[in-house]
Amino acid sequence: MTRLASLWSGLGGEPALVSRVSAVERPGALSSRLPVREFAGACVGVCALAAAELAARRTSAGEVPAVRVDDGAVATAFVSERHLRTDGRAAESFAPLSRFWRTADGWVRTHANYPHHRARLLSALGTPEDPDAVAAALAGRSAREVEETVAAAGGLAVALRTPEEWAAHEQAAAVARLPLVERVRLDSAPARKFAAVGGRGPLLPAAGLRVLDLTRVIAGPVATRTLALLGADVLRLDPPDLPELPDQHTDTGFGKRSALLDLAADREGFEELLAGADVVVTGYRPGALDRFGLSAEALAERRPGVVVAQLSAWGATGPWAGRRGFDSLVQVATGIACAEGGRDRPGALPAQALDHGTGYLLAAGVLRSLSDQADTGGSRLVRVALARTAAELSAGAGDCATGEPGTGLSPTPWLAERDSALGRLRYALPPVAFEGGPRDWARGPGRWGLDAARWL
């Protein structure tokens, strides 16, 4: 509980509420050389506690409902994409060009799951879409040269670093100055007034709240998937010309609706949605959406009382703030891949734990901000970064660790099946659990972009 108490304190939570959390420890879960099991449980635990806190406020129940964190449920949810089955078909994993590659002096890891990222990678390297050609091109260059060349082309490639090498990097210093979950009051908007919730069915602390979801990939969608579990009307918006990967959308689409909106061409449509939104969650690079009036300050000016939640890979400041990034690449840059493997054979965490952990932390930050608004008002900014989550997970780790991880855990008790518009789904149940709360999403995922861009 020490880790959970620390995270809860960082969220501004009342310390005494930690006593409402109980844990079911399963040592075989998320086996790793780093304390992934403990960290993952703490991330989920503070999210569940924030939900329970908000539930108590909205029911005037007095005592905060008891929270239960089960390592089995957490471990299963942290690899939800691996457990997903659609009519028996397993989800597609990393693309062939998304992997580790040998360079002249070490290793790089690339990310090319999206077609536009793949095209930029190949353009930067000057090679055809052939793994052998890519391998040959990379083998003759230094890892840092590849990193800079590909980044300059808007692609994704990161050189393997040890924890010490990352600690000496300017971006690591910028990240170290950030809180794990940054929470800022933006103005003096009036206190939020919640309608009471309760009655039949599960207790939904986010019922009646509207969430605009402008996120992609895993971390942001995990946060909004969690808010949807808790009763929020979550509307995900994507640009029409940038489709999401189908299986990724299915895995993180539970409880949500999915619509298409061109922010440049349909500003009026977005403003109508913003006027009814309680929460806006973005997952693009810092500043990337500012030209559309989507900075936290601009949103709060047009929609006083809004909670703006922002997610990035590398943090909002520092020389890498504007770079693209994903969980797998942050692991490589920050020394985690070295700690999980070695200099000669890099490894990886047993889950995309930076993505999933950050997602639950972001949801927790939103829920705590909503609770705080009921007391003191004010539009709020909540900000997280994968690299800052990596620093929290890696705290105290040395150079390249030794030893072997332990055994795994059967996920069967924490899997469910249902029919959906996409077919018969097998999926991981949500790990966020508190007394009287929901055990599953009210609705399954729908097809990408087919919902109307309007509130229910």
Side-chain angles (χ1 to χ4, degrees), residues 8-97:
W8 183 246
S9 175
L11 285 164
E14 171 59 44
L17 291 184
V18 173
S19 65
R20 302 299 296 157
V21 183
S22 63
V24 179
E25 296 186 1
R26 304 181 190 275
L30 295 174
S31 298
S32 174
R33 296 174 180 177
L34 293 174
V36 177
R37 177 179 65 86
E38 296 85 349
F39 183 72
C43 292
V44 170
V46 295
C47 183
L49 186 54
E53 177 191 37
L54 185 58
R57 179 180 293 277
R58 298 196 67 182
T59 57
S60 301
E63 188 173 47
V64 170
V67 170
R68 186 171 184 263
V69 182
D70 190 316
D71 281 347
V74 173
T76 304
F78 265 56
V79 289
S80 59
E81 62 274 10
R82 299 182 200 170
H83 296 304
L84 180 68
R85 298 291 184 274
T86 305
D87 289 333
R89 179 187 61 81
E92 294 183 8
S93 186
F94 286 100
L97 298 186

Side-chain angles (χ1 to χ4, degrees), residues 248-308:
Q248 201 159 260
H249 178 73
T250 300
D251 179 52
T252 60
F254 283 83
K256 308 179 192 179
R257 294 179 297 125
S258 171
L260 303 181
L261 187 77
D262 187 328
L263 291 175
D266 192 2
R267 296 296 296 276
E268 183 178 347
F270 178 80
E271 293 302 319
E272 289 180 3
L273 291 171
L274 176 63
D278 298 286
V279 180
V280 178
V281 188
T282 67
Y284 293 81
R285 290 172 295 142
L289 299 179
D290 288 3
R291 68 186 187 279
F292 301 114
L294 296 184
S295 70
E297 294 77 11
L299 289 169
E301 183 177 351
R302 303 200 307 282
R303 176 59 167 150
V306 72
V307 176
V308 181

Side-chain angles (χ1 to χ4, degrees), residues 56-145:
R57 179 180 293 277
R58 298 196 67 182
T59 57
S60 301
E63 188 173 47
V64 170
V67 170
R68 186 171 184 263
V69 182
D70 190 316
D71 281 347
V74 173
T76 304
F78 265 56
V79 289
S80 59
E81 62 274 10
R82 299 182 200 170
H83 296 304
L84 180 68
R85 298 291 184 274
T86 305
D87 289 333
R89 179 187 61 81
E92 294 183 8
S93 186
F94 286 100
L97 298 186
S98 297
R99 47 170 273 200
F100 282 107
W101 306 85
R102 281 276 192 184
T103 65
D105 61 351
W107 295 86
V108 295
R109 183 157 188 168
T110 55
H111 195 288
N113 286 5
Y114 288 98
H116 57 294
H117 291 155
R118 181 165 59 250
R120 292 168 187 169
L121 172 68
L122 295 172
S123 175
L125 299 178
T127 65
E129 190 175 338
D130 173 62
D132 291 336
V134 172
L138 292 173
R141 307 186 188 188
S142 73
R144 303 290 176 89
E145 176 197 353

Side-chain angles (χ1 to χ4, degrees), residues 323-334:
R323 289 198 180 189
R324 297 167 175 83
F326 294 97
D327 180 308
S328 58
L329 303 184
V330 176
Q331 289 188 40
V332 172
T334 61

Side-chain angles (χ1 to χ4, degrees), residues 171 173-182 314-317 383-385 388:
Q171 190 60 37
V175 167
R177 291 189 289 268
L178 300 173
L180 180 61
V181 181
E182 186 176 2
W314 305 105
T317 61
R383 195 154 49 192
V384 293
R388 180 61 182 85

Side-chain angles (χ1 to χ4, degrees), residues 183-222:
R183 300 168 65 244
V184 179
R185 179 172 173 157
L186 297 170
D187 58 27
S188 57
R192 179 178 291 275
K193 294 182 180 180
F194 286 108
V197 296
R200 294 184 178 182
L203 181 56
L204 301 172
L209 297 175
R210 292 169 168 174
V211 178
L212 277 180
D213 178 1
L214 282 72
T215 69
R216 297 176 68 80
V217 196
I218 296 178
V222 163

